[in-house]
Amino acid sequence: MAFISSSSSFPISPATFHAQPYSDPPYKLLQKHSSLTLLSRCNNIHTLKQVHAHIIKTGLHNTHFALSKLIEFCAVSPSGDLSYAISILETIQDPNQFMWNTIIRGLSLSSDPALAIVFYNRMILSGIEPNSYTFPILLKTCAKMAVTHVGKQLHGQILKLGLGSDVFVNSSLINMYAQCSELDNARLVFDKSVVRNEVSFTALITGYASRGRMAEARCLFDKIPIRDAVSWNAMISGYGHSGRFGEALLFFKEMLKANVKPNESTIVTVLSSCAQSGSLELGNWVRSWVEDHDLGSNLRVVNALIDMYSKCGNLDKARDLFNGLNQKNVVSWNAMIGGYTQMSNYKEALSLFRVMLRSDIEPNDVTLLCVLPACAHLGALDLGKWIHSYIDKNFLTYTNKSLCTSLIDMYAKCGNIKAAQQVFDGMEVRSLASWNAMISGLAIHGHASMAFELFSKMVDLGFMPDDITFVGVLSACNHAGLVDLGRHYFSSMIQDYNISPKLQHYGIMIDLLGQAKLFDEAESLIKNMEMKPDGAIWGSLLGACKVHNRVELGEYVAQHLFELEPENPGAYVLLSNIYAAAGRWDDVAKIRTRLHDKGLKKVPDRLLDMSGFKPDTSEVLSDMDDDLKEGALSHHSEKLAIAFGLISTKPGTTIRIVKNLRVCGNCHSATKLISKIFKREIIARDRNRFHHFKDGSCSCNDYW
């Protein structure tokens, strides 16, 4: 049999075997021997070696019984030492079946489980025949390592030795095939089994459930002779992983009706389904059940509750539970930080992450995957760079596709597209998500041709683009004003890749058409959408109306926005700007009554005046003197941010600003001049894209 091989870190050589006469006294005498009594009380390797010395001194080392007990302690006890167990095995002339099985079991639980297969080979070569205890250990190892080809060879050996009717071996075979996605083989073993126990049923149910084949899982579940918590958990977990959260929760209720006591895994699975489905009411009920059944101090359960409350939007309850933990593990921190990030509380996420760094808990990859999006949204480039350095020191960066993808996204959204490109280029293996992040990053920075080139390369390498890919590609068309190419990619997405447009795709196309003054086509696209347009779509069209002074259409579009998002001030501001540009000051005044007056004061910018900057006062929301209008315009948020950057950083330092609305024409013109006057590169991220200002010009070529 050709099994997988592995280099061992232990000194293994048949030449080290020593011939020794083994003759075990009666079992009852050995069992009561003082040395073996001491062995049963060992709790560390130092004491074990003392007991071993005593066993040698008394001559018990000449008995298989004593040596078996020594090997068992060293191989599988938490206080043992696997290498010491192997060294004992090396001194035995004819190790028996129990000794080999014990070593194999210990190796299967080690950090290098492949050695269990190596020692199985050695066991066979030594003339010892495996038994029904050997194979379940090995098959579990194959399942853990996902080496189906080795499992199939073991299956052949099982049949050859006549162990095919052993119920425990069969259960292990079914479990191995099921975990390795060989469900047909798992079912074949199951169907041929003469005797099936609940373990066999549960193994196959788990296999079907984990692959979303819930009809087959349910059919087996209904036939199972004894339904324990494990089989119920398999079904609940399967429904949850399949996105059928309601059925998962109903199954949990059925479990309680059947008087099957849920265990820790059940509760964690159910809370996960509550979190994914947003079932806060049921989540509260589960919490009450947890507290009534003394699971309220179980860390794994509390972590699941924190995650559930976070994902259901109740961050206060989640934080109360988090703060109430006497001891927090990394999962606790991840659940809370991830909750803040998911609910767009990015400042709180980063603040809590900094607290975590001051604690004794080391962040893991999940932590960083929660924090990097917060850095991206806030433009926290310095912290993002620190995280990148931490990843380089503690993880195999360029083999971890998820971390690399998150780094690409963070750098792109923080304005450093070169760093994003470096991470992308350095990846050994790229996922579709990696390509998508890079394409989108190039798009928002205005590098349309590079985005298209990367898309073509991705397709040539065999990657199938998804809806997220086309968001990036269409964004590149939008930011470059490439209407014909945008139409082409939009049609290709539907016809060539069978991807149904989502709201985001429609939004980008409508924005592209609106900016190109193709309002009739934009309206037609809205009317032919398969879903109702959302606020983003109406907002982009309203923005185009402002740019091209389409007052009547702007009023029509704004009305839809007011109905959809009555509390969104952006729609009122845009409509006010449209009215102001048209000189309809009475209408501006009506809009202003619904907005908070900021009490703007005149703070003129003399250097801009001296450079010839003439503000476009048509965008000011009220009918006032031009002098006052200029003062109001000087207080736009990006200008204030740039002013703060100029006085708080060294000359020549790049200034990065982030805002949640599109940059206005006045600020865009002013920022171009500021970059020239102060010889600064200014990188501004607005709602849709990046603007790189340098030497008096912008990367967008004045199209946005």
Side-chain angles (χ1 to χ4, degrees), residues 18-269:
H18 300 289
Q20 296 179 23
Y22 295 100
S23 178
D24 285 12
Y27 172 75
K28 288 184 179 179
L29 291 177
L30 287 173
Q31 193 178 29
K32 295 178 181 179
H33 197 282
S34 59
S35 296
L36 297 182
T37 302
L38 290 172
L39 180 62
S40 66
R41 298 172 183 169
C42 279
N43 56 14
N44 58 68
I45 192 65
H46 177 70
T47 307
L48 179 277
K49 289 180 179 179
Q50 292 179 324
V51 173
H52 190 188
H54 191 263
I55 286 173
I56 294 172
K57 184 177 180 180
T58 58
L60 275 180
H61 66 295
N62 289 319
T63 68
H64 270 107
F65 182 82
L67 292 172
S68 295
K69 287 295 182 183
L70 276 170
I71 290 173
E72 184 177 30
F73 174 86
C74 294
V76 298
S77 169
S79 304
D81 186 326
L82 190 53
S83 61
Y84 196 77
I86 292 174
S87 68
I88 294 172
L89 183 77
E90 299 291 349
T91 67
I92 303 172
Q93 182 177 0
D94 295 306
N96 61 23
Q97 194 179 61
F98 177 84
M99 295 173 181
W100 282 106
N101 283 346
T102 303
I103 291 291
I104 290 170
R105 181 184 167 204
L107 289 168
S108 73
L109 300 171
S110 72
S111 59
D112 191 2
L115 287 174
I117 308 296
V118 174
F119 268 72
Y120 170 70
N121 284 332
R122 285 191 56 188
M123 175 183 177
I124 293 174
L125 291 173
S126 71
I128 300 296
E129 191 174 273
N131 62 6
S132 58
Y133 292 98
T134 315
F135 288 109
I137 298 168
L138 294 169
L139 290 167
K140 193 171 184 179
T141 300
C142 292
K144 183 193 299 183
M145 298 173 61
V147 285
T148 319
H149 63 288
V150 178
K152 288 179 178 178
Q153 293 177 59
L154 290 170
H155 191 177
Q157 188 81 344
I158 287 165
L159 296 175
K160 184 179 178 180
L161 294 172
L163 295 173
S165 60
D166 186 278
V167 66
F168 296 107
V169 173
N170 266 347
S171 299
S172 300
L173 271 171
I174 294 166
N175 183 65
M176 183 274 295
Y177 280 126
Q179 287 198 38
C180 293
S181 301
E182 294 265 356
L183 288 175
D184 290 341
N185 283 332
R187 187 58 188 254
L188 191 63
V189 174
F190 180 84
D191 290 341
K192 288 185 176 181
S193 300
V194 177
V195 179
R196 302 170 187 147
N197 62 2
E198 61 271 19
V199 178
S200 305
F201 274 94
T202 302
L204 193 54
I205 289 168
T206 303
Y208 281 130
S210 64
R211 299 298 178 273
R213 294 167 63 172
M214 296 309 299
E216 291 154 295
R218 181 59 191 263
C219 183
L220 284 168
F221 182 83
D222 290 339
K223 295 177 182 177
I224 194 168
I226 300 174
R227 298 171 187 164
D228 59 6
V230 179
S231 56
W232 283 93
N233 288 354
M235 292 297 295
I236 294 169
S237 178
Y239 281 123
H241 287 307
S242 301
R244 297 161 67 175
F245 307 115
E247 289 170 272
L249 301 177
L250 285 173
F251 223 80
F252 173 63
K253 291 181 178 179
E254 289 296 321
M255 179 182 184
L256 296 179
K257 287 180 183 178
N259 292 320
V260 178
K261 186 178 180 180
N263 56 23
E264 174 188 301
S265 296
T266 317
I267 300 302
V268 170
T269 303

Side-chain angles (χ1 to χ4, degrees), residues 19 108 145 156 198 213-214 216 247 289 309 315 318 326 338 342 423 493 686:
S108 73
M145 298 173 61
E198 61 271 19
R213 294 167 63 172
M214 296 309 299
E216 291 154 295
E247 289 170 272
W289 189 95
Y309 278 121
L315 291 171
N326 293 324
Q342 185 170 346
V423 175
M493 175 180 72
D686 69 9

